[in-house]
Amino acid sequence: MTADWTDGEPRIVVSVCAACGHRWYLRRAQCPNCGGSVSSTTSAGVGTVVAVTSGERGAIALVDLVDGVRVLGRCGSSLRPGSAVRLRFQAGADDPVAVPFFEAESS
Amino acid sequence: MAWIRGAGLTAFGRLPGRDALGWQATAATLAMADAGTRPRDVDGLIVGYATTLDHLMPANLLAEYLGITPAVALGAAVGGATGVAMVVQAVALVDSGAASTVLVVAGEDRASGQSTQTSTATLAQVGHRRYEVPIGATVPQYYALLASAYLHEHGLTPGDGLAPLAVAMRAHAARHDGAQFRTPVTAADVRASRPVADPLNLLDCCPVSDGGAAVVVSATAGGGRAVEIVGTGQAHLHQHISEADMHEFGARVSAGRALARAGVRIGEVDVFGIYDSFTITLALLLEELGLARPGGAGAAASEGRFDLDGPIPVNPHGGLLSYGHCGVGGGMAHLVEIVTQLRGESGGRQVARARQGLVHADGGVMSAHVTAVLRAARGAT
Ligand SMILES: [Zn+2]
């Protein structure tokens, strides 16, 4: 199991099934599609916004990464569905670890 | 074959004075009185979780309180779908012969038994503990994300795509004196209400309420007021939003199973009880159930299609959005309303010639789906 941002390492790890090629984000000990063994890859952190909201606890986005997984993260308030985004990590005052934060791809 | 012999629904609102067990006992007593069932006749008891109670054994707790010694007792937790899911299990107990009279109960002092902050934090735990909860999202924000994707896909604004559903539910609640909110609102009122989680405003969100609901499920009809449960279905395709298929949450699959078992086409259903924790919840469910075209639920509400005299009457009691939401009991209120409609006992909010009904509930973030198809006994040959 490769350490990721939830362990304090600022990266998103994508799990890949060695047997069937299924890719997922939420950590599991085996493939939910076939039970196969897990290998992992580090996301390049590039993707497209699927949905965005802003509430009392700040703006958050659901992002489809080009690595083939959907990820929840915080974001800037200017993003819209369809926006191209890039991943960085940011820790607020109450956060024990830096969490995914998506900002507009400057390109 | 199983029948709903009795149903009980309390008023919902901010109504201090009872704790969760008190609301459950009140609703259970109403349902047993309605069914003509005594506590000693109950041989199956299923009770939904209450966040303010946070007890490991809710059915045992209520059984002791009411003096019931059931042959089967079970606590249940599938989020907002729990109420209908408990009734599905009651049907299975009755059909298997494990019990003959099953009391299904939900109730909670969700509004007055805890602070809003505690309630919000508890409910947010439906997010993934490791990958979503640390982001800080709340349940309204999860549904707001679904609304964001939905409005973007269909090129809609919140005012035309979502607000009309809140308006329709409020118009219904105005006819029910147990509803938490009964003053009519307009789409402009919905858009002018306080922003909660963009694009959802306060009136796009159900309130938090105190209240309870219960039904008695029996192997025999025992009279013309009974309502038959003719088909049930479920679908559980994901838990977390990041693994949800936004075009197949599970409602279509669940309702398809229930309708097939009932031998009923959805066009033959006269009245609907559809889970409506947020306007977006109702829009997504109506569309996945095939009761509105994709992107068309708001427009259909504006046209009056979900009104009492429309072709698809939905939530004549006002739904979670306006009758209120006390947790598991909120999702059961739709069921009690459909039972009341099929009995022809809904008074000023009665849907004409209501003979078959469908109840659909979801739990989590459109995660757990449960459907029941009901049929009136009255007039049956
Ligand atoms: Zn696999």
Side-chain angles (χ1 to χ4, degrees), chain A residues 17 19-22 31 33-36:
Chain A
C17 176
C20 77
H22 183 63
C31 172
N33 188 45
C34 76

Side-chain angles (χ1 to χ4, degrees), chain B residues 136-203:
Chain B
T138 60
V139 167
Q141 284 186 307
Y142 285 118
Y143 277 88
L145 288 168
L146 300 181
S148 167
Y150 171 85
L151 295 174
H152 176 72
E153 176 179 350
H154 298 293
L156 295 166
T157 67
D160 55 27
L162 299 174
L165 293 158
V167 174
M169 293 306 104
R170 185 60 65 88
H172 286 172
R175 302 185 197 96
H176 198 312
D177 59 14
Q180 184 162 356
F181 293 111
R182 302 183 59 195
T183 307
V185 295
T186 65
D189 293 332
V190 178
R191 291 320 302 159
S193 63
R194 176 171 66 80
V196 170
D198 183 53
L200 302 179
N201 288 357
L202 188 66
L203 294 180

Side-chain angles (χ1 to χ4, degrees), chain A residues 26, chain B residues 125-129 132 238-244 365 367:
Chain A
L26 306 177
Chain B
Q125 300 302 312
V126 299
H128 193 281
R129 183 172 293 195
E132 296 177 348
H238 70 274
Q239 172 63 26
H240 301 108
I241 192 170
S242 53
E243 296 205 358
V365 187
S367 316

